[in-house]
């Protein structure tokens, strides 16, 4: 992959993450951004684009870190199959932790664990869909690594918002992360193909 493609990946990921985060942020606080003057909405949108751009940069760092970890895992376990089993176990632990530890930390008296299962299960289902698309576009061996990236790496990047547990920040932080991660995952093989 040449430098032109790396620059393309960087800026398109930044754009995808920024716009998606700004849209969701605007919807979440619609009344705040639409009350008052036009300048209130304008500067609110600039702020949303900026904060979402920062989150998409986190996504890009996570993506390149995962590419390194994936190569390291393949070298360490000497087998794609064994490395896939390790990734499946880590995915299961992360989904469990997202449910259980958030429930322990943030559940109100009388609140059930079911409320804390929704987001992790949706993330897992989304990861399965994206991993299927990646495997369909490349090869079946890409399914587990793609699922691992969408579920585990996105969760690691999402930790600052998870510790706050504010629903608005959970979605505002997750949106640019998940869209940027999805974009990078689904575009990379197209950029690296020889022409």
């Amino acid at each position: 992959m040449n430098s032109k493609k790396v620059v393309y990946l960087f800026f398109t990921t930044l754009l995808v993450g920024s716009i998606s985060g700004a849209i969701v942020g605007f919807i979440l606080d619609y009344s705040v951004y639409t009350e008052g003057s036009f300048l209130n909405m304008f500067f609110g949108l600039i702020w949303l684009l900026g904060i979402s751009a920062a989150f998409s940069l986190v996504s890009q760092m996570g993506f390149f870190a995962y590419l390194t970890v994936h190569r390291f895992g393949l070298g360490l376990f000497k087998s794609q199959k064994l490395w896939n089993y390790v990734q499946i176990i880590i995915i299961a632990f992360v989904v469990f932790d997202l449910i259980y530890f958030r429930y322990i930390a943030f559940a109100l008296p009388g609140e059930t664990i079911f409320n804390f299962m929704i987001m992790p299960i949706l993330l897992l289902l989304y990861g399965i869909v994206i991993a299927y698309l990646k495997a369909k576009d490349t090869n079946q061996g890409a399914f587990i690594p793609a699922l691992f990236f969408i579920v585990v790496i996105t969760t690691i990047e999402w930790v600052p918002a998870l510790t706050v547990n504010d629903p608005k920040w959970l979605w505002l932080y997750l949106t640019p992360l998940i869209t940027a991660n999805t974009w990078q995952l689904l575009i990379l093989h197209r950029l690296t193909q020889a022409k």
Side-chain angles (χ1 to χ4, degrees):
M1 190 158 84
N2 60 32
S3 58
K4 183 179 176 184
K5 291 179 179 179
V6 171
V7 170
Y8 173 81
L9 180 63
F10 174 80
F11 282 109
T12 56
T13 303
L14 194 64
L15 190 65
V16 166
S18 299
I19 291 173
S20 64
I23 291 169
V24 169
F26 188 79
I27 292 168
L28 289 173
D29 270 342
Y30 179 78
S31 60
V32 171
Y33 296 116
T34 54
E35 69 184 20
S37 68
F38 170 76
L39 285 177
N40 179 55
M41 184 171 70
F42 177 76
F43 287 116
L45 284 172
I46 295 294
W47 181 83
L48 285 170
L49 285 167
I51 197 82
S52 298
F55 298 151
S56 69
L57 288 174
V58 171
S59 163
Q60 292 186 52
M61 288 187 291
F63 183 64
F64 287 105
Y66 175 67
L67 292 177
T68 304
V69 167
H70 183 64
R71 285 285 144 211
F72 180 75
L74 287 172
L76 180 67
F77 293 102
K78 307 285 190 216
S79 157
Q80 173 83 38
K81 194 172 183 180
L82 183 56
W83 173 229
N84 281 347
Y85 287 135
V86 170
Q87 290 180 98
I88 290 168
I89 291 167
I90 295 171
I91 291 167
F93 270 108
V94 167
V95 171
F96 173 79
D97 289 351
L98 264 177
I99 296 168
Y100 182 71
F101 288 125
R102 288 187 64 238
Y103 172 71
I104 295 298
F106 301 115
L108 299 171
E111 193 173 13
T112 65
I113 199 167
F114 178 75
N115 294 336
F116 295 90
M117 293 174 70
I118 296 169
M119 266 189 165
I121 290 173
L122 287 176
L123 179 62
L124 180 63
L125 293 174
Y126 180 81
I128 290 169
V129 170
I130 297 305
Y132 169 77
L133 293 174
K134 178 70 173 183
K136 186 177 161 203
D137 280 355
T138 56
N139 61 66
Q140 290 305 311
F143 183 85
I144 298 299
L147 181 61
F148 182 91
F149 176 69
I150 291 294
V151 175
V152 176
I153 303 301
T154 301
T155 301
I156 291 169
E157 296 164 347
W158 197 22
V159 164
L162 291 171
T163 57
V164 174
N165 199 43
D166 177 355
K168 182 180 84 170
W169 276 101
L170 285 173
W171 287 109
L172 184 61
Y173 207 117
L174 177 64
T175 304
L177 288 177
I178 200 80
T179 55
N181 282 345
T182 301
W183 172 255
Q184 291 174 104
L185 191 65
L186 295 181
I187 199 73
L188 182 66
H189 62 275
R190 291 180 174 92
L191 294 175
T192 56
Q193 283 173 351
K195 294 196 176 181

